[in-house]
mmCIF file of all heavy atoms in Angstrom:
data_model
loop_
_atom_site.group_PDB
_atom_site.id
_atom_site.type_symbol
_atom_site.label_atom_id
_atom_site.label_comp_id
_atom_site.label_asym_id
_atom_site.label_seq_id
_atom_site.Cartn_x
_atom_site.Cartn_y
_atom_site.Cartn_z
ATOM 1 N N PHE A 129 6.809 6.212 8.295
ATOM 2 C CA PHE A 129 7.401 4.855 8.640
ATOM 3 C C PHE A 129 8.287 4.405 7.526
ATOM 4 O O PHE A 129 9.412 3.984 7.670
ATOM 5 C CB PHE A 129 6.261 3.827 8.850
ATOM 6 C CG PHE A 129 6.809 2.477 9.144
ATOM 7 C CD1 PHE A 129 7.075 2.175 10.447
ATOM 8 C CD2 PHE A 129 7.108 1.602 8.112
ATOM 9 C CE1 PHE A 129 7.625 0.854 10.711
ATOM 10 C CE2 PHE A 129 7.605 0.251 8.441
ATOM 11 C CZ PHE A 129 7.861 -0.014 9.722
ATOM 12 N N VAL A 130 7.845 4.445 6.267
ATOM 13 C CA VAL A 130 8.645 3.913 5.199
ATOM 14 C C VAL A 130 9.918 4.750 4.981
ATOM 15 O O VAL A 130 10.998 4.253 4.625
ATOM 16 C CB VAL A 130 7.857 3.819 3.863
ATOM 17 C CG1 VAL A 130 7.594 5.172 3.216
ATOM 18 C CG2 VAL A 130 8.493 2.835 2.849
ATOM 19 N N LEU A 131 9.818 6.076 5.229
ATOM 20 C CA LEU A 131 11.005 6.907 5.159
ATOM 21 C C LEU A 131 11.969 6.597 6.231
ATOM 22 O O LEU A 131 13.198 6.430 6.047
ATOM 23 C CB LEU A 131 10.523 8.355 5.234
ATOM 24 C CG LEU A 131 11.482 9.491 4.822
ATOM 25 C CD1 LEU A 131 11.961 9.198 3.347
ATOM 26 C CD2 LEU A 131 10.848 10.820 4.945
ATOM 27 N N ASP A 132 11.426 6.464 7.504
ATOM 28 C CA ASP A 132 12.296 6.136 8.641
ATOM 29 C C ASP A 132 13.017 4.753 8.495
ATOM 30 O O ASP A 132 14.137 4.606 8.864
ATOM 31 C CB ASP A 132 11.517 6.171 9.956
ATOM 32 C CG ASP A 132 11.092 7.588 10.350
ATOM 33 O OD1 ASP A 132 11.663 8.543 9.796
ATOM 34 O OD2 ASP A 132 10.219 7.737 11.180
ATOM 35 N N LYS A 133 12.269 3.800 7.931
ATOM 36 C CA LYS A 133 12.756 2.460 7.772
ATOM 37 C C LYS A 133 13.959 2.473 6.890
ATOM 38 O O LYS A 133 14.995 1.765 7.143
ATOM 39 C CB LYS A 133 11.718 1.530 7.180
ATOM 40 C CG LYS A 133 11.896 0.070 7.344
ATOM 41 C CD LYS A 133 11.802 -0.375 8.844
ATOM 42 C CE LYS A 133 11.877 -1.892 9.014
ATOM 43 N NZ LYS A 133 11.798 -2.261 10.441
ATOM 44 N N HIS A 134 13.925 3.265 5.812
ATOM 45 C CA HIS A 134 15.079 3.387 4.922
ATOM 46 C C HIS A 134 16.211 4.054 5.544
ATOM 47 O O HIS A 134 17.393 3.690 5.441
ATOM 48 C CB HIS A 134 14.663 4.081 3.592
ATOM 49 C CG HIS A 134 13.935 3.238 2.669
ATOM 50 N ND1 HIS A 134 12.609 2.821 2.843
ATOM 51 C CD2 HIS A 134 14.343 2.589 1.536
ATOM 52 C CE1 HIS A 134 12.250 2.014 1.844
ATOM 53 N NE2 HIS A 134 13.277 1.852 0.985
ATOM 54 N N HIS A 135 15.925 5.194 6.244
ATOM 55 C CA HIS A 135 16.966 5.890 6.966
ATOM 56 C C HIS A 135 17.680 4.969 8.029
ATOM 57 O O HIS A 135 18.919 5.070 8.170
ATOM 58 C CB HIS A 135 16.431 7.134 7.636
ATOM 59 C CG HIS A 135 16.051 8.208 6.673
ATOM 60 N ND1 HIS A 135 15.254 9.330 7.015
ATOM 61 C CD2 HIS A 135 16.377 8.357 5.387
ATOM 62 C CE1 HIS A 135 15.113 10.069 5.954
ATOM 63 N NE2 HIS A 135 15.789 9.552 5.006
ATOM 64 N N ASP A 136 16.909 4.178 8.706
ATOM 65 C CA ASP A 136 17.470 3.321 9.711
ATOM 66 C C ASP A 136 18.510 2.344 9.113
ATOM 67 O O ASP A 136 19.453 1.867 9.781
ATOM 68 C CB ASP A 136 16.348 2.436 10.403
ATOM 69 C CG ASP A 136 15.505 3.309 11.291
ATOM 70 O OD1 ASP A 136 15.913 4.446 11.608
ATOM 71 O OD2 ASP A 136 14.381 2.843 11.630
ATOM 72 N N HIS A 137 18.322 2.012 7.795
ATOM 73 C CA HIS A 137 19.242 1.036 7.117
ATOM 74 C C HIS A 137 20.180 1.744 6.307
ATOM 75 O O HIS A 137 20.862 1.134 5.481
ATOM 76 C CB HIS A 137 18.472 0.025 6.359
ATOM 77 C CG HIS A 137 17.663 -0.980 7.235
ATOM 78 N ND1 HIS A 137 18.291 -2.048 7.818
ATOM 79 C CD2 HIS A 137 16.379 -1.061 7.562
ATOM 80 C CE1 HIS A 137 17.433 -2.770 8.442
ATOM 81 N NE2 HIS A 137 16.237 -2.162 8.314
ATOM 82 N N GLY A 138 20.319 3.060 6.502
ATOM 83 C CA GLY A 138 21.388 3.825 5.743
ATOM 84 C C GLY A 138 21.006 4.276 4.342
ATOM 85 O O GLY A 138 21.874 4.681 3.628
ATOM 86 N N ALA A 139 19.741 4.138 3.979
ATOM 87 C CA ALA A 139 19.315 4.540 2.607
ATOM 88 C C ALA A 139 18.856 5.970 2.609
ATOM 89 O O ALA A 139 18.101 6.419 3.461
ATOM 90 C CB ALA A 139 18.221 3.586 2.146
ATOM 91 N N PHE A 140 19.287 6.673 1.568
ATOM 92 C CA PHE A 140 18.857 8.038 1.296
ATOM 93 C C PHE A 140 19.258 9.056 2.374
ATOM 94 O O PHE A 140 18.617 10.039 2.627
ATOM 95 C CB PHE A 140 17.337 8.122 1.064
ATOM 96 C CG PHE A 140 16.842 7.286 -0.041
ATOM 97 C CD1 PHE A 140 16.045 6.167 0.214
ATOM 98 C CD2 PHE A 140 17.239 7.457 -1.362
ATOM 99 C CE1 PHE A 140 15.582 5.363 -0.776
ATOM 100 C CE2 PHE A 140 16.843 6.625 -2.376
ATOM 101 C CZ PHE A 140 16.014 5.583 -2.108
ATOM 102 N N LEU A 141 20.330 8.741 3.138
ATOM 103 C CA LEU A 141 20.750 9.624 4.171
ATOM 104 C C LEU A 141 21.387 10.886 3.571
ATOM 105 O O LEU A 141 22.085 10.755 2.525
ATOM 106 C CB LEU A 141 21.711 8.967 5.068
ATOM 107 C CG LEU A 141 21.216 7.819 5.941
ATOM 108 C CD1 LEU A 141 22.369 7.138 6.742
ATOM 109 C CD2 LEU A 141 20.102 8.322 6.885
ATOM 110 N N GLY A 142 21.112 12.000 4.142
ATOM 111 C CA GLY A 142 21.674 13.289 3.589
ATOM 112 C C GLY A 142 20.962 13.834 2.435
ATOM 113 O O GLY A 142 21.361 14.894 1.934
ATOM 114 N N ILE A 143 19.917 13.219 1.976
ATOM 115 C CA ILE A 143 19.090 13.654 0.838
ATOM 116 C C ILE A 143 17.874 14.344 1.401
ATOM 117 O O ILE A 143 17.164 13.781 2.241
ATOM 118 C CB ILE A 143 18.738 12.541 -0.135
ATOM 119 C CG1 ILE A 143 20.033 11.926 -0.711
ATOM 120 C CG2 ILE A 143 17.863 13.011 -1.240
ATOM 121 C CD1 ILE A 143 19.758 10.723 -1.611
ATOM 122 N N PRO A 144 17.498 15.524 0.880
ATOM 123 C CA PRO A 144 16.274 16.164 1.404
ATOM 124 C C PRO A 144 15.039 15.186 1.212
ATOM 125 O O PRO A 144 14.949 14.563 0.186
ATOM 126 C CB PRO A 144 16.131 17.377 0.527
ATOM 127 C CG PRO A 144 17.507 17.740 0.104
ATOM 128 C CD PRO A 144 18.196 16.371 -0.031
ATOM 129 N N SER A 145 14.244 15.171 2.235
ATOM 130 C CA SER A 145 13.078 14.221 2.218
ATOM 131 C C SER A 145 11.826 14.899 2.789
ATOM 132 O O SER A 145 11.887 15.839 3.492
ATOM 133 C CB SER A 145 13.378 12.958 2.958
ATOM 134 O OG SER A 145 13.642 13.246 4.344
ATOM 135 N N VAL A 146 10.720 14.398 2.350
ATOM 136 C CA VAL A 146 9.395 14.838 2.793
ATOM 137 C C VAL A 146 8.435 13.670 2.707
ATOM 138 O O VAL A 146 8.588 12.771 1.938
ATOM 139 C CB VAL A 146 8.995 16.048 1.934
ATOM 140 C CG1 VAL A 146 8.733 15.606 0.448
ATOM 141 C CG2 VAL A 146 7.695 16.771 2.449
#
Side-chain angles (χ1 to χ4, degrees):
F129 179 89
V130 75
L131 196 56
D132 290 345
K133 198 72 172 175
H134 281 76
H135 287 166
D136 290 344
H137 288 283
F140 303 115
L141 294 176
I143 298 175
S145 61
V146 64

